[in-house]
Amino acid sequence: MSGIYIHVPFCKSKCIYCDFYSIAVHSLIEDYCNALKKEIASRKNQLSDKHIQTIYFGGGTPSMLEIKSIETILAEIYLNYNISETAEITFEANPENLSSEYLSALKFRR
């Protein structure tokens, strides 16, 4: 089974116990998302023979991203990779970043 992991390195603040790479510099989010989309496209040949079964957003705190950013990242993934119709998309979130509107918007539709 093949999968794609997207590391979202942004957090509200840096926790002293966290060993994962993360930063609390929110002004970099847009630049990061643009660079990530370029990297997704540039790596498409690495998985061209794979049928992707899972996409995992981890971090950091992926729920720091705006819905539009998540949509454009997923669109780039679907454009460049062979994603299963039944692919599981997992998204780490911090409860303090969530609202019912945000959760409803996370329901990805191709």
Side-chain angles (χ1 to χ4, degrees):
M1 178 165 79
S2 295
I4 295 173
Y5 172 75
I6 302 296
H7 184 78
V8 180
F10 301 99
C11 291
K12 183 176 177 180
S13 63
K14 180 69 178 158
C15 299
I16 61 170
Y17 59 82
C18 182
D19 288 333
F20 295 103
Y21 177 76
S22 63
I23 57 175
V25 184
H26 305 145
S27 61
L28 297 176
I29 292 175
E30 185 177 349
D31 289 340
Y32 169 80
C33 290
N34 290 332
L36 177 61
K37 289 181 279 187
K38 288 179 184 175
E39 183 172 356
I40 289 166
S42 73
R43 291 177 175 258
K44 68 182 178 182
N45 292 332
Q46 291 179 343
L47 297 173
S48 61
D49 62 334
K50 304 292 184 197
H51 198 68
I52 305 301
Q53 298 291 330
T54 184
I55 302 168
Y56 184 84
F57 286 80
T61 310
S63 57
M64 295 290 296
L65 298 181
E66 294 181 5
I67 294 299
K68 184 66 178 165
S69 295
I70 298 162
E71 289 173 342
T72 61
I73 291 166
L74 283 169
E76 194 68 30
I77 290 170
Y78 274 82
L79 177 68
N80 286 287
Y81 298 93
N82 182 17
I83 308 298
S84 170
E85 289 288 326
T86 59
E88 176 182 84
I89 301 174
T90 305
F91 189 85
E92 288 183 2
N94 187 331
E96 71 183 33
N97 296 102
L98 301 177
S99 66
S100 57
E101 293 82 17
Y102 191 90
L103 290 170
S104 293
L106 278 177
K107 193 170 185 177
F108 180 67
R109 296 171 293 280
R110 270 210 276 176

